[in-house]
């Protein structure tokens, strides 16, 4: 009868803790609607890989194999997800006001500041850079960077990145209010929908890919996939491919990505004191991203005639489209007639591109 | 604070080499991202202007077509 208690005999307290963490992720996904598409598979996966003698993480186990093929060998899963994200994004609001791109760049400040702080705390540079990329507020980029840099904390980084992305509506308004006056938050921005031609929309993904490829070649796989998805959307002759990329394709990759990432959530690798430090650093990255975007908008106001509401600077983090919605909501709270959504979306999509470029840049600078 | 950090066995606080590397990432990364963004803004603006100019030109010259240029010659 020993075979019946074989699993119980090798069960460790760490594995039980991971079941609780898995349960918490499932709870947050279902009850609090926090990034359910990823937190739920990750939560279930955390339980799955922490069952004693679990065959899914054995040499030819399904989750280990998926991890090796889909993430470890080529980072294929996060990159393929970028095709779907690219197909979902309408760059129209950005193309009608390209200077908003500056805010998307400034809102990556938290990444760099966090890398420095993580280095001061004592993380090796590969881990510090991977922790900093939590500030990209972009799951696939966080997965890719931490994986390429072979960080020892990949699972913690990904869980923290997705958790804070879900917490954007709580974190950002508080930071924006601390950094701005009521008068600044009430700045009205008129949206003139400059007609963006189809040709501009088609050329944009090609231009971005070429420029990113020439200046920051390491970012090309992320930016290239993102722009490829967008080209499919904008070309106008691949409607069914565009729809598939936006829905079925993205869903399949997201589903597999969540449960595959759980491979990294084995108790011995995940349950470390450093995970708590990474959680604190992740929050720090999001806060400084927001500060970077808001203060850049204030700086631009010193030189421009048409004033920018600094709230939209906060939308420069790439949590799309949540950050834009938060900016719109904050604008309406200050003045019900002040609709910032289209401006915020422009900044938000520029943040999406900027974070992918920064991800590639960091890989290139660390390796 | 330092003592607390030293309690983490995998951390090596205030390592100057790592700190220097992180500062390099800061300035090189920020410089590169703003160069890329600047180039994209310029490229998008120029593209938009050229497209708008060509549309205006076509509107004001209804007979214009590449074929006509060769015919005139």
């Amino acid at each position: 009868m020993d075979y019946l208690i074989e699993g119980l005999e090798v069960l460790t307290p760490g594995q039980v803790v991971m079941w609780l963490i898995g349960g918490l992720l499932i709870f947050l996904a279902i009850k609090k609607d926090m990034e359910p598409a990823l937190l739920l598979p990750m939560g279930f996966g955390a339980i799955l890989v922490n069952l004693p003698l679990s065959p899914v993480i054995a040499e030819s186990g399904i989750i280990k194999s998926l991890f090796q093929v889909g993430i470890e060998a080529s980072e294929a899963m996060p990159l393929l997800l970028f095709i779907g994200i690219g197909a979902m994004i309408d760059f129209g609001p950005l193309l009608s006001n390209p200077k908003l791109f500056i805010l998307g760049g400034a809102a990556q400040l938290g990444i760099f500041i966090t890398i420095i702080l993580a280095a001061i705390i004592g993380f090796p540079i590969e881990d510090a850079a991977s922790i900093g990329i939590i500030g990209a507020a972009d799951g696939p980029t966080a997965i890719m960077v931490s994986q390429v840099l072979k960080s020892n904390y990949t699972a913690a980084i990904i869980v923290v990145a997705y958790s804070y992305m879900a917490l954007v509506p709580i974190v950002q308004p508080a930071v924006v209010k601390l950094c701005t006056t009521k008068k600044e938050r009430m700045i009205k921005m008129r949206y003139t929908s400059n007609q963006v031609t189809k040709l501009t929309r088609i050329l944009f993904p090609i231009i971005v890919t070429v420029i990113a490829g020439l200046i920051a070649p390491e970012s090309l796989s992320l930016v290239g996939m993102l722009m490829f998805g967008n080209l499919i959307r904008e070309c106008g002759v691949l409607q069914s491919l565009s729809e598939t990329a936006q829905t079925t394709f993205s869903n399949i990759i997201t589903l597999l990505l969540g449960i595959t990432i759980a491979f990294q959530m084995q108790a011995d690798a995940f349950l470390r004191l450093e995970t708590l430090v990474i959680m604190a650093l992740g929050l720090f990255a999001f806060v400084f991203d927001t500060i970077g975007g808001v203060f850049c908008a204030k700086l631009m106001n010193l030189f421009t005639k048409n004033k920018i509401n600094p709230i939209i600077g906060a939308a420069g983090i790439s949590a799309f489209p949540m950050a834009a919605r938060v900016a719109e909501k904050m604008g309406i709270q200050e003045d019900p007639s002040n609709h910032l959504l289209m401006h915020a979306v422009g900044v938000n999509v520029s943040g999406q591109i900027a974070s992918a470029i920064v991800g590639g840049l960091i890989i290139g600078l660390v390796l | 604070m330092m003592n607390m950090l030293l309690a983490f066995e995998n951390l090596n606080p205030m390592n100057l080499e790592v700190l220097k590397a992180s500062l390099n990432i800061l300035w090189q990364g920020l410089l590169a991202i703003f160069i890329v963004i600047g180039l994209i803004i310029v490229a998008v603006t120029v593209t938009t202007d050229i497209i708008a100019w060509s549309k205006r030109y076509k509107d004001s010259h209804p007979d214009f077509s590449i074929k006509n240029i060769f015919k005139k010659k």
Side-chain angles (χ1 to χ4, degrees):
Chain A
M1 295 294 279
D2 282 354
Y3 72 96
L4 288 177
I5 55 166
E6 213 173 291
L8 276 177
E9 279 175 349
V10 290
L11 180 67
T12 64
Q15 288 173 320
V16 177
V17 174
M18 287 309 294
W19 296 353
L20 296 175
I21 292 174
L24 176 69
L25 294 180
I26 293 172
F27 171 79
L28 293 174
I30 297 172
K31 202 73 182 167
K32 303 287 176 188
D33 200 28
M34 282 172 66
E35 295 285 341
L38 264 142
L39 290 193
L40 191 132
M42 281 173 76
F44 185 76
I47 297 170
L48 196 59
V49 300
N50 283 291
L51 285 163
L53 311 173
S54 178
V56 296
I57 52 168
E59 202 41 53
S60 55
I62 177 70
I63 291 189
K64 184 168 186 180
S65 302
L66 278 173
F67 183 80
Q68 285 172 333
V69 175
I71 296 181
E72 202 173 43
S74 59
E75 294 84 37
M77 280 190 199
L79 290 175
L80 290 173
L81 187 55
F82 254 46
I83 296 179
I85 295 171
M88 287 176 207
I89 295 178
D90 174 8
F91 286 111
L94 176 63
L95 290 172
S96 56
N97 189 5
K99 74 177 178 196
L100 293 180
F101 218 132
I102 297 169
L103 296 176
Q108 310 307 316
L109 180 73
I111 297 176
F112 297 104
I113 303 283
T114 307
I115 293 175
I116 294 174
L117 187 63
I120 291 172
I121 288 174
F123 284 97
I125 193 66
E126 294 81 5
D127 291 325
S130 304
I131 293 167
I133 210 69
I134 293 172
D138 183 17
T141 306
I143 295 169
M144 165 120 180
V145 172
S146 57
Q147 203 53 45
V148 173
L149 297 182
K150 300 197 186 329
S151 170
N152 296 311
Y153 306 100
T154 302
I157 288 167
I158 294 160
V159 171
V160 170
Y162 277 109
S163 307
Y164 282 131
M165 275 192 300
L167 291 175
V168 161
I170 297 166
V171 175
Q172 282 208 311
V175 179
V176 172
K177 280 190 178 168
L178 274 175
C179 299
T180 53
T181 61
K182 190 168 177 64
K183 193 180 163 195
E184 284 171 330
R185 294 196 297 274
M186 288 180 75
I187 293 175
K188 282 208 173 190
M189 292 179 73
R190 270 189 313 144
Y191 182 71
T192 46
S193 171
N194 298 337
Q195 199 63 41
V196 180
T197 62
K198 189 180 169 187
L199 184 58
T200 311
R201 287 172 180 273
I202 291 171
L203 287 175
F204 180 70
I206 300 169
I207 290 170
V208 172
T209 307
V210 172
I211 292 175
L214 290 174
I215 309 286
E218 295 81 8
S219 68
L220 206 49
S221 37
L222 280 166
V223 176
M225 292 298 121
L226 186 72
M227 292 297 126
F228 172 56
N230 191 251
L231 185 60
I232 291 174
R233 173 198 174 97
E234 300 296 352
C235 70
V237 291
L238 295 172
Q239 280 307 326
S240 72
L241 285 193
S242 171
E243 276 162 29
T244 305
Q246 290 179 47
T247 53
T248 318
F249 181 72
S250 292
N251 287 342
I252 290 172
I253 300 287
T254 305
L255 188 151
L256 289 174
L257 193 60
I259 196 117
T260 305
I261 281 299
F263 177 74
Q264 294 269 348
M265 294 182 74
Q266 293 169 55
D268 48 350
F270 192 85
L271 291 178
R272 308 182 208 176
L273 282 172
E274 286 88 341
T275 303
L276 296 175
V277 181
I278 292 169
M279 287 174 78
L281 287 170
L283 180 62
F284 187 84
F286 269 69
V287 168
F288 270 84
D289 277 346
T290 309
I291 291 174
V294 168
F295 275 90
C296 183
K298 287 181 169 208
L299 189 67
M300 285 168 76
N301 280 344
L302 297 177
F303 306 101
T304 50
K305 206 173 73 179
N306 295 326
K307 300 292 178 209
I308 297 170
N309 189 318
I311 295 175
I312 67 163
I317 67 165
S318 84
F320 177 82
M322 198 188 293
R325 283 200 208 119
V326 169
E328 159 78 353
K329 205 172 155 192
M330 283 193 77
I332 289 176
Q333 273 172 0
E334 299 295 339
D335 175 358
S337 66
N338 196 7
H339 292 280
L340 299 170
L341 187 64
M342 293 315 283
H343 303 287
V345 167
V347 178
N348 203 186
V349 296
S350 73
Q352 185 78 49
I353 300 175
S355 67
I357 295 172
V358 168
L361 281 171
I362 285 174
I363 290 172
L365 290 170
V366 172
L367 289 180
Chain B
M1 178 69 179
M2 204 62 175
N3 289 340
M4 194 190 86
L5 288 174
L6 287 169
F8 293 88
E9 55 189 46
N10 297 323
L11 302 185
N12 181 15
M14 293 307 289
N15 180 331
L16 279 182
E17 282 304 308
V18 179
L19 190 56
K20 221 185 278 177
S22 68
L23 288 170
N24 271 337
I25 292 175
L26 171 74
W27 80 261
Q28 290 181 355
L30 280 177
L31 179 69
I33 186 68
F34 281 107
I35 288 175
V36 173
I37 285 174
L39 287 173
I40 293 174
I41 292 173
V42 170
V44 168
T45 309
V46 169
T47 309
T48 311
D49 287 352
I50 291 173
I51 292 169
W53 175 83
S54 87
K55 192 175 181 299
R56 274 200 309 273
Y57 188 84
K58 276 182 190 170
D59 289 347
S60 58
H61 298 78
D63 300 336
F64 173 78
S65 109
I66 295 287
K67 286 175 191 166
N68 291 345
I69 295 173
F70 293 111
K71 272 181 191 171
K72 277 174 193 170
K73 280 182 179 174

